[in-house]
Amino acid sequence: MSRRVNRRVRQKLHKPKEKKESMLSRAISGMFTIILAGIMVYGLQCYSASDLRFVQVSDAHFSTRNVNTSFKLTAESPKILDDVIEQINETPDVNFVMFSGDLIDKPFEKELQAFLPHVESLKYPWYMAFGNHDVCVGGYLTKSLYLDIVSKHNENFKFKKPYYSFVPRKGYKVIVLDTIIDTRITSNGNIYPEELKWLKEELDKSKKDIVLIFMHVPIVEPFPSEGHRLLNAGEVQAIIEQYKNPIGVFQGHYHASKIRQKGNVLYVNSPSLVSYPNAFRVVTIKNERKKVIFEIQQKNTRESNVRALAKMMVFSAKLYSGDEEDQNGVYEIKK
């Protein structure tokens, strides 16, 4: 009898301790769950903050003259530009828009002043690189005057040189190159030693970044053209390709869609607004732990009648539109 009583007493004495230990375990477990959830939420926020989206518009060739020239539908340029700006404004989460040269078709101030009210309706920050049609050789509209006029109409653009850089988001560096020869009339391009030295310095400072380079005359041609090529393309390419971080090079001038990947460098040629395929690009970059993913989408003008006419005016629609992988694709670069 006494043994049974003692056993009950011992059980009662142990029960509060077991209950206390159980409550402590649940408290620790709950605290751990809260901390883990916080870490996951923070990680997701950091991941989404590391992505970037931009729009490249090339060779708008805006004109106030109601005349189409050769295969360029310059008379339709205001209509196409307005449609593209509307499409860009409908695109969510764009970090910036880059016009990669030939914003206007004739290098006159009145043409630039007519172009700017259209792009002022963009709801995203926009920037530009010089094209050969933007510069008046020996004339009034110099590069410095052009930059000054743009800066007065664009609160985000305060650059004093035709080549410059900026950081659109942490972990990214945008480099805009000036490839335009302004000492003689030519469709060829060149990058002079002072700018090449600056380019190398910018790349040296950005070895841990995703670098986006924008230019008008391409380093890598979509098709051969002696009269349009970058005269020192090999020298520029050698500088860029010595770096191992992910680099995207976005080009225009040839009015053609072409994408080529060489190791960690992605060369993207983009089409024109005023000639077939009358398109622009939306690029989304996903920055993952071991790789960077470029999702490239080509979007056509919604002015379907204009696009149909433009297709009739080129001698080879395929040459300018490229293959499907030159228009839309997913490209990976390992870190």
Side-chain angles (χ1 to χ4, degrees):
M1 178 74 178
S2 61
R3 287 180 186 174
R4 280 200 291 263
V5 171
N6 289 337
R7 193 181 298 123
R8 284 198 212 102
V9 169
R10 285 198 299 271
Q11 286 173 348
K12 286 182 181 179
L13 287 172
H14 282 296
K15 276 183 180 179
K17 188 176 180 182
E18 290 171 358
K19 186 176 181 181
K20 185 176 180 181
E21 287 175 351
S22 177
M23 289 176 66
L24 181 62
S25 298
R26 285 199 296 269
I28 292 171
S29 177
M31 187 178 297
F32 179 79
T33 302
I34 291 169
I35 292 170
L36 184 60
I39 292 171
M40 290 177 66
V41 169
Y42 177 77
L44 288 170
Q45 288 175 341
C46 290
Y47 174 76
S48 62
S50 69
D51 294 347
L52 181 135
R53 176 176 292 147
F54 69 86
V55 174
Q56 182 194 9
V57 180
S58 199
D59 296 87
H61 287 274
F62 180 89
S63 177
T64 59
R65 301 173 64 213
N66 193 28
V67 178
N68 291 323
T69 60
S70 62
F71 71 106
K72 294 185 299 184
L73 300 184
T74 47
E76 311 297 334
S77 59
K79 183 193 301 183
I80 300 171
L81 181 60
D82 286 341
D83 168 59
V84 167
I85 289 171
E86 188 177 320
Q87 289 194 57
I88 294 171
N89 285 341
E90 292 169 359
T91 305
D93 304 321
V94 175
N95 293 93
F96 67 91
V97 179
M98 181 65 69
F99 290 87
S100 53
D102 286 353
L103 286 67
I104 54 179
D105 191 58
K106 300 294 181 186
F108 303 128
E109 183 182 350
K110 68 179 182 67
E111 295 294 297
L112 181 57
Q113 295 284 12
F115 167 85
L116 289 168
H118 292 264
V119 292
E120 284 177 335
S121 63
L122 277 169
K123 69 179 186 180
Y124 299 114
W126 67 273
Y127 304 88
M128 50 83 53
F130 275 103
N132 52 300
H133 281 255
D134 293 311
V135 178
C136 187
V137 176
Y140 176 69
L141 189 59
T142 62
K143 287 179 182 177
S144 59
L145 177 59
Y146 197 114
L147 293 172
D148 184 57
I149 293 170
V150 170
S151 67
K152 290 176 181 176
H153 291 262
N154 185 347
E155 64 180 6
N156 298 294
F157 193 95
K158 302 302 175 187
F159 305 102
K160 301 300 181 183
K161 285 187 174 183
Y163 55 91
Y164 57 91
S165 69
F166 64 92
V167 177
R169 171 163 281 182
K170 186 178 179 181
Y172 292 85
K173 168 66 74 68
V174 171
I175 297 174
V176 179
L177 296 178
D178 176 21
T179 57
I180 305 308
I181 300 170
D182 55 5
T183 56
R184 58 189 173 89
I185 298 174
T186 178
S187 294
N188 284 125
N190 193 63
I191 299 180
Y192 294 102
E194 180 184 352
E195 185 178 349
L196 286 177
K197 180 184 176 184
W198 172 85
L199 170 62
K200 191 172 188 314
E201 290 171 352
E202 289 293 313
L203 291 171
D204 283 341
K205 293 185 292 186
S206 310
K207 291 180 180 179
K208 294 183 179 180
D209 295 326
I210 299 167
V211 176
L212 307 173
I213 300 175
F214 295 90
M215 58 206 301
H216 185 62
V217 183
I219 297 171
V220 177
E221 297 175 286
F223 54 82
S225 178
E226 284 293 317
H228 291 82
R229 67 184 181 88
L230 188 69
L231 297 177
N232 60 338
E235 184 181 7
V236 182
Q237 187 172 359
I239 290 173
I240 292 171
E241 291 181 2
Q242 69 181 268
Y243 296 89
K244 303 305 178 186
N245 48 317
I247 300 175
V249 182
F250 296 86
Q251 314 158 118
H253 194 40
Y254 281 57
H255 294 205
S257 302
K258 195 74 177 180
I259 303 176
R260 292 173 182 158
Q261 184 172 352
K262 187 174 180 183
N264 63 300
V265 183
L266 190 65
Y267 293 96
V268 181
N269 286 89
S270 291
S272 167
L273 293 193
V274 295
S275 59
Y276 188 79
N278 308 94
F280 64 101
R281 292 198 188 274
V282 177
V283 180
T284 303
I285 303 174
K286 296 185 179 297
N287 185 12
E288 299 186 357
R289 191 165 65 89
K290 293 185 177 181
K291 62 184 177 182
V292 173
I293 301 172
F294 287 78
E295 295 181 359
I296 300 177
Q297 181 183 14
Q298 185 164 294
K299 300 190 75 172
N300 303 322
T301 178
R302 293 180 293 203
E303 297 290 338
S304 55
N305 292 337
V306 173
R307 193 163 182 264
L309 177 60
K311 189 173 184 179
M312 293 171 57
M313 294 179 70
V314 294
F315 63 88
S316 173
K318 184 66 177 292
L319 181 68
Y320 294 98
S321 65
D323 295 322
E324 173 57 29
E325 59 266 28
D326 297 313
Q327 299 169 24
N328 305 287
V330 178
Y331 297 84
E332 292 186 1
I333 297 176
K334 292 182 180 179
K335 289 184 176 178

